[in-house]
Amino acid sequence: GQNIDQPTEMTATEGAIVQINCTYQTSGFNGLFWYQQHAGEAPTFLSYNVLDGLEEKGRFSSFLSRSKGYSYLLLKELQMKDSASYLCAPRGQGNLIFGKGTKLSVKP
Amino acid sequence: GAVVSQHPSWVICKSGTSVKIECRSLDFQATTMFWYRQFPKQSLMLMATSNEGSKATYEQGVEKDKFLINHASLTLSTLTVTSAHPEDSSFYICSARPWETGGYEQYFGPGTRLTVT
């Protein structure tokens, strides 16, 4: 079957670092995406991993371990505007599968 | 680059009427466009995948006669909700996969909030 597991909510302090974990099971694997979604808005693309390892992109980094079915999104130097839902979306043999997302609240 | 627009942003319609939502890729050609629906505090649910010039592929449980999808060009796909009912009220989001990049990334439109009264 296909399944995605992420924490429902997380809270962190402005300026801190937070790691959002995602475990997944898919039929086949063709990469994993992370999206950011602010309340009431559509998702925006953050990162894409297809090989094992860490992809760094400014304040955001994403890690993938295909053998473990595991990924994480690392957010550094948190800002208030980073308060949003973060969606882990692996792509199996078909299309993207979205988890319910992790709602991150950044506090001053 | 890679901008996707949707129109309208929000719409209120009466039960029994039909509503058409447009999705356009503004600065790239999209071989494939996707339509999602998202209820409050729920994940994005894929409704259908449309490829330019061919019939859409609907996900299990999505009524193709109710949600009509047309992908007439490489930059435009439309979703028509026919005979809308209050339970169809939701946030409808389209995304487009660029032809040029080989198709791994998807770019989302801003979404259309539909309220059926």
Side-chain angles (χ1 to χ4, degrees):
Chain A
Q2 302 187 119
N3 187 54
I4 301 167
D5 194 25
Q6 302 178 235
T8 306
E9 294 185 41
M10 296 181 73
T11 303
T13 306
E14 193 175 14
I17 299 173
V18 71
Q19 178 174 312
I20 302 174
N21 295 322
C22 171
T23 57
Y24 63 88
Q25 291 176 308
T26 57
S27 298
F29 182 77
N30 285 291
L32 186 142
F33 294 79
W34 282 94
Y35 285 87
Q36 179 192 61
Q37 186 177 26
H38 285 99
E41 298 180 12
T44 54
F45 170 79
L46 288 179
S47 69
Y48 171 64
N49 294 66
V50 65
L51 299 176
D52 289 352
L54 188 68
E55 292 280 343
E56 297 188 73
K57 208 173 183 181
R59 294 190 298 116
F60 294 1
S61 303
S62 55
F63 172 84
L64 175 67
S65 170
R66 288 172 296 172
S67 62
K68 296 181 179 178
Y70 168 69
S71 174
Y72 68 72
L73 180 69
L74 191 72
L75 294 81
K76 302 176 186 176
E77 301 170 19
L78 281 174
Q79 301 175 9
M80 298 299 291
K81 67 178 182 179
D82 296 331
S83 293
S85 286
Y86 292 85
L87 311 177
C88 170
R91 184 178 172 198
Q93 290 177 339
N95 298 305
L96 290 182
I97 308 157
F98 285 89
K100 290 189 176 182
T102 297
K103 185 178 178 182
L104 174 66
S105 298
V106 180
K107 300 191 181 303
Chain B
V3 177
V4 177
S5 70
Q6 273 185 247
H7 177 80
S9 301
W10 58 270
V11 58
I12 302 172
C13 71
K14 291 187 177 181
S15 188
T17 61
S18 295
V19 173
K20 180 186 280 189
I21 303 170
E22 289 187 351
C23 176
R24 292 181 186 273
S25 55
L26 298 185
D27 51 2
F28 65 95
Q29 292 184 324
T31 50
T32 306
M33 288 185 170
F34 304 87
W35 288 96
Y36 295 85
R37 181 167 52 181
Q38 188 176 34
F39 293 105
K41 299 184 179 181
Q42 298 294 313
S43 62
L44 288 166
M45 297 299 295
L46 180 65
M47 298 175 67
T49 304
S50 75
N51 292 295
E52 185 264 339
S54 63
K55 288 184 179 180
T57 302
Y58 290 81
E59 295 299 301
Q60 194 172 8
V62 178
E63 300 173 59
K64 59 183 178 182
D65 294 331
K66 181 173 179 61
F67 298 99
L68 302 178
I69 291 172
N70 183 276
H71 193 156
S73 76
L74 284 171
T75 59
L76 173 65
S77 177
T78 61
L79 168 68
T80 302
V81 183
T82 62
S83 187
H85 291 287
E87 56 265 31
D88 298 324
S89 298
S90 187
F91 192 41
Y92 291 86
I93 309 172
C94 74
S95 72
R97 183 184 287 170
W99 174 78
E100 294 88 354
T101 64
Y104 284 111
E105 295 185 16
Q106 284 179 217
Y107 296 92
F108 286 85
T112 297
R113 193 163 300 282
L114 170 64
T115 302
V116 184
T117 60

